[in-house]
Amino acid sequence: MAKIKKTTEDILPTLHIFTALQKYVKKTKARLHMPGHKGRYLPILQDSFLDCTELSYTDCLECPTDCILEAERDIANIFHAQKSFLLTDGATCGIFVMINVVKELGGKLVIARNSHKSVYNACSILGVEPIILDTIVQDGIIQQPTIENIQNLLYTNKDITALLLTTPDYYGNLLDLQTIYKLCKAKNILLFVDNAHGAFLHFDALYQNYYAGVYADVWVDSMHKTTPTLTQGALLHTNNLDITTHLLHGLDIFRTTSPSYLIMASVEYAAKYMQQFATDKINKVRQLLEWAKVELEKLQLTTYANSRTLVLSIDFLKAGYSVDSVQEYLEEQGIFAELNDGRYLLFYCSSETEEQEILLLIHTIQHAMYTCSFKKTKEQITQEVEKLQTIQVYSFVQACRQEIKYISLESAIHKVVGRNVGRTPPCFPLLVAGEKITLESMQQLKQAKHTFGMQNQLIPVLVKKS
């Protein structure tokens, strides 16, 4: 018997939330409830008629008993989790929920230096002092903490409740979660993972065992980053039912009471779509990226070799080009990168990236190189590997609670930064509150197009009390 080929249309009958929304659209005659657009056609959102609120048959995210509950059960099954929770506030909400568990259980939290700003923000608000793992800078990128660093810190500090790591990171670096899991279990420490950039790994035949859910007690997937989901769609998962009460309490505090049904429906769709179709597509994109790297090498352009995700990081600065000029040229051709960090342009792909998009990128770069369309730069790369130098003057939580003032970057050298500051993206801090501002960090912030923690190029520093 011939095998019937499945299409994306076959997923639609399995979508509990989307089905409830369709039922709502067919039944409603008077929208005397939120949201304010009342389902009228919006030029910027053709499916606005599906956007609604909690009704008798659309369920309630805070205490689901119907379509949302069924969707979360299906999603948990797909991701091999004991329980999964829909988030419409992005992965940030999940980060706050995880750190709230530490607050409720007591004890210490260990985090990586390259943690997202939401990790630091949650620590500040909840009064959880983070113990930050040492790291190095290699090829211009802050690296993941080593197993040795993690082991030393876990075994030399008492009362550690949880270890929260980011894997993969923005550049595609992965951690050996299997070894880290064993270290945590030996010390009865919870393993939390910010898996914002790695939801697709669960469906990736090559790196499936690096997916956070294989080892973590709790992890968060930012579905919109790597799967076909509306922005802000995310999932919080757990395989440790002993802390479910704490997770539910955190969700009750931090999750919105006005969730977007469109976002929730898109998360459910993406999970079921990825399960059916993503593996072959991911394999094809990986092959295309390998071809792209070979073509770039012919142009004497190197890519970040340690990336294991579907990101192509091209080192234009090392080749002597102004990264800003490259970005400007590509955007004029209609090609938009995810990130310009001053050295690399990062091009984020997913299972939905089309072959012609990668071909267009490479052919456009080839044409620009042959026609000398990229501007040269005099900036030199001096060190390839260096230890990240930081000088902590105050504890993080202590610094966050002190008075600050905003001053120019040039006059801030050697002063103590009062709030976290860094580039956005990737949204992890160059300087953590309580640390001294160095010449190097000042220069990096000055070169950044977009930052967080600063105001009009002014940096927050602690006010010295007389």
Side-chain angles (χ1 to χ4, degrees), residues 329-387:
Y329 178 86
L330 291 177
E331 289 184 355
E332 288 173 354
Q333 313 308 312
I335 300 171
F336 292 83
E338 165 68 19
L339 169 67
N340 171 358
D341 69 0
R343 174 168 173 175
Y344 295 88
L345 277 184
L346 273 64
F347 300 90
Y348 257 59
C349 301
S350 76
S351 61
E352 304 314 291
T353 300
E354 298 288 346
E355 179 178 356
Q356 61 261 30
E357 293 177 295
I358 297 177
L359 293 176
L360 176 62
L361 171 64
I362 300 305
H363 292 159
T364 302
I365 292 174
Q366 289 171 335
H367 176 76
M369 299 280 282
Y370 295 147
T371 58
C372 300
S373 298
F374 295 155
K375 294 179 182 177
K376 290 284 187 175
T377 180
K378 295 181 180 179
E379 189 174 347
Q380 298 293 318
I381 296 174
T382 54
Q383 286 183 302
E384 288 299 297
V385 180
E386 60 179 317
K387 182 172 172 51

Side-chain angles (χ1 to χ4, degrees), residues 221-331:
D221 287 335
S222 187
M223 293 289 284
H224 72 91
K225 285 182 169 61
T226 60
T227 75
T229 302
L230 291 176
T231 298
Q232 289 185 243
L235 289 165
L236 181 71
H237 311 272
T238 184
N239 275 326
N240 186 339
L241 297 182
D242 291 340
I243 57 175
T244 304
T245 301
H246 298 291
L247 294 174
L248 289 170
H249 187 216
L251 288 165
D252 185 55
I253 295 171
F254 298 111
R255 197 164 53 177
T256 180
T257 58
S258 299
S260 164
Y261 274 77
L262 290 174
I263 291 176
M264 289 193 291
S266 74
V267 172
E268 183 188 4
Y269 168 81
K272 293 176 177 178
Y273 172 89
M274 295 293 285
Q275 183 184 42
Q276 291 287 342
F277 304 108
T279 300
D280 290 342
K281 287 190 166 190
I282 290 169
N283 289 338
K284 184 177 180 180
V285 172
R286 283 198 179 279
Q287 292 172 5
L288 286 168
L289 290 177
E290 289 306 310
W291 168 82
K293 291 173 184 177
V294 171
E295 294 301 307
L296 291 168
E297 285 177 6
K298 295 176 184 177
L299 301 171
Q300 280 75 54
L301 288 173
T302 57
T303 57
Y304 182 58
N306 292 335
S307 175
R308 299 294 179 266
T309 56
L310 303 180
V311 57
L312 183 67
S313 303
I314 306 176
D315 191 345
F316 285 102
L317 183 61
K318 189 174 183 179
Y321 295 103
S322 161
V323 186
D324 289 342
S325 78
V326 175
Q327 181 182 22
E328 184 178 339
Y329 178 86
L330 291 177
E331 289 184 355

Side-chain angles (χ1 to χ4, degrees), residues 90-301:
T92 291
C93 177
I95 295 295
F96 271 73
V97 172
M98 285 193 283
I99 296 178
N100 189 65
V101 173
V102 179
K103 179 184 179 182
E104 293 188 357
L105 293 177
K108 300 173 183 175
L109 173 68
V110 177
I111 69 172
R113 176 80 190 189
N114 65 343
S115 294
H116 188 264
K117 61 179 286 190
S118 61
V119 173
Y120 292 93
N121 289 343
C123 287
S124 173
I125 290 170
L126 295 170
V128 175
E129 182 66 36
I131 303 172
I132 303 174
L133 288 155
D134 290 332
T135 190
I136 61 169
V137 177
Q138 184 173 357
D139 297 323
I141 295 169
I142 295 179
Q143 298 296 299
Q144 296 277 29
T146 65
I147 297 296
E148 182 182 10
N149 284 345
I150 294 171
Q151 183 174 15
N152 289 341
L153 200 149
L154 294 185
Y155 280 76
T156 55
N157 283 268
K158 295 180 180 179
D159 303 324
I160 295 176
T161 297
L163 168 65
L164 197 166
L165 298 171
T166 301
T167 181
D169 63 16
Y170 219 112
Y171 294 85
N173 292 302
L174 291 169
L175 282 166
D176 178 6
L177 286 178
Q178 183 177 21
T179 301
I180 295 168
Y181 168 80
K182 292 176 181 177
L183 293 175
C184 288
K185 293 306 115 179
K187 299 290 288 183
N188 196 29
I189 293 169
L190 295 169
L191 176 57
F192 295 161
V193 177
D194 176 358
N195 189 59
H197 294 270
F200 81 98
L201 289 174
H202 182 62
F203 312 96
D204 186 345
L206 191 59
Y207 289 102
Q208 194 171 43
N209 288 334
Y210 284 86
Y211 176 64
V214 180
Y215 301 104
D217 291 284
V218 186
W219 68 103
V220 63
D221 287 335
S222 187
M223 293 289 284
H224 72 91
K225 285 182 169 61
T226 60
T227 75
T229 302
L230 291 176
T231 298
Q232 289 185 243
L235 289 165
L236 181 71
H237 311 272
T238 184
N239 275 326
N240 186 339
L241 297 182
D242 291 340
I243 57 175
T244 304
T245 301
H246 298 291
L247 294 174
L248 289 170
H249 187 216
L251 288 165
D252 185 55
I253 295 171
F254 298 111
R255 197 164 53 177
T256 180
T257 58
S258 299
S260 164
Y261 274 77
L262 290 174
I263 291 176
M264 289 193 291
S266 74
V267 172
E268 183 188 4
Y269 168 81
K272 293 176 177 178
Y273 172 89
M274 295 293 285
Q275 183 184 42
Q276 291 287 342
F277 304 108
T279 300
D280 290 342
K281 287 190 166 190
I282 290 169
N283 289 338
K284 184 177 180 180
V285 172
R286 283 198 179 279
Q287 292 172 5
L288 286 168
L289 290 177
E290 289 306 310
W291 168 82
K293 291 173 184 177
V294 171
E295 294 301 307
L296 291 168
E297 285 177 6
K298 295 176 184 177
L299 301 171
Q300 280 75 54
L301 288 173

